[in-house]
Amino acid sequence: MYRFFAVLVFGAVLVGMSGCSSMPKVSRTDASEQIDVSGEWNDTDSQLVSAEMIGDVLARPWIGEFSAKKNEKPRVIVGAVLNKSHEHINTETFVADLEREVTNSGKVKFVASKEQRNEIRDERMDQAQNASMKTAKNMGQEYGADFMLKGQINTIMDEAGKVSLKYYQVELELIDMETNEKVWIGQKKIKKVVKRAKSKF
């Protein structure tokens, strides 16, 4: 009898635990699918803005003027993109999207970032000590960038009750590394209206 009640209680506990499970429900979706959960800056914004702004900068006269003068493609590096918005925005993913668009365009040559260059230089120094002379890569053979792309993300927020307006303004500039001349200034604006559902009691 005691064993019967023990089994019964154990089964009830298991049923209760399964009903109160705190495990999240997870489903896989296509990475390109547009999904807005909170209304804040997300991967879709990053990809759309980077694609549009890189498309704009590569369509401007500076690239043709440089190629005509130097008889080669310009070398571009992506510098800092500052987050001056009200939100936590991972600008590294935005910079990565910019780098991908620049590189895949085939219209310019892309120079590795400062962090990547330092890592590669360390590797070359290691090669100088440990690799054979035939395979070790020489120091001082890097290509310097001709232009740097940098910018910032700003926001303006407005909210009343359950409705909020989020206005994002992304500004990018392309600067000549030799003369500090700004050869291109781009701006992309995104306006979002977020309506939150009423609380249910």
Side-chain angles (χ1 to χ4, degrees):
M1 191 65 176
Y2 172 78
R3 178 175 295 178
F4 171 75
F5 279 113
V7 171
L8 190 64
V9 171
F10 181 69
V13 170
L14 287 179
V15 171
M17 289 178 65
S18 62
C20 300
S21 175
S22 60
M23 294 294 288
K25 183 180 179 181
V26 179
S27 58
R28 299 284 185 272
T29 62
D30 192 314
S32 62
E33 184 178 355
Q34 180 176 334
I35 300 176
D36 288 293
V37 178
S38 65
E40 295 187 349
W41 177 275
N42 59 20
D43 62 313
T44 300
D45 299 313
S46 178
Q47 293 169 14
L48 290 176
V49 171
S50 59
E52 186 169 324
M53 297 192 79
I54 294 302
D56 182 54
V57 67
L58 295 178
R60 298 296 178 174
W62 69 272
I63 189 169
E65 293 171 356
F66 180 91
S67 298
K69 183 178 179 180
K70 302 286 186 177
N71 197 29
E72 62 180 2
K73 295 178 181 179
R75 294 183 176 86
V76 175
I77 186 172
V78 178
V81 176
L82 303 178
N83 176 23
K84 295 187 176 181
S85 74
H86 296 76
E87 298 176 8
H88 169 70
I89 296 178
N90 186 348
T91 56
E92 290 186 4
T93 60
F94 180 56
V95 169
D97 285 334
L98 292 173
E99 292 176 343
R100 186 192 64 250
E101 294 293 334
V102 169
T103 305
N104 292 344
S105 72
K107 295 182 178 179
V108 300
K109 294 182 179 178
F110 186 71
V111 177
S113 68
K114 184 177 181 180
E115 291 75 16
Q116 291 170 328
R117 293 199 306 274
N118 287 334
E119 183 180 4
I120 294 170
R121 286 167 187 162
D122 288 342
E123 173 62 22
R124 273 201 295 266
M125 290 180 66
D126 184 80
Q127 286 186 2
Q129 295 179 344
N130 300 297
S132 66
M133 292 184 62
K134 185 177 181 181
T135 60
K137 303 301 178 287
N138 296 325
M139 304 289 284
Q141 300 298 313
E142 300 177 15
Y143 286 117
D146 300 302
F147 299 91
M148 175 179 280
L149 184 68
K150 62 195 311 300
Q152 59 187 25
I153 303 174
N154 293 292
T155 53
I156 298 174
M157 309 294 286
D158 192 14
E159 186 170 357
K162 299 291 183 182
V163 180
S164 60
L165 172 66
K166 300 188 176 191
Y167 178 83
Y168 298 87
Q169 182 166 302
V170 182
E171 297 171 339
L172 294 178
E173 299 175 336
L174 189 68
I175 303 172
D176 189 310
M177 293 286 292
E178 193 166 61
T179 65
N180 288 338
E181 177 187 9
K182 296 182 179 180
V183 298
W184 172 82
I185 298 175
Q187 189 180 76
K188 173 64 178 177
K189 301 174 182 176
I190 298 176
K191 185 180 288 186
K192 295 182 180 180
V193 177
V194 181
K195 297 179 180 179
R196 304 194 181 281
K198 295 181 179 178
S199 302
K200 296 180 179 180
F201 298 96

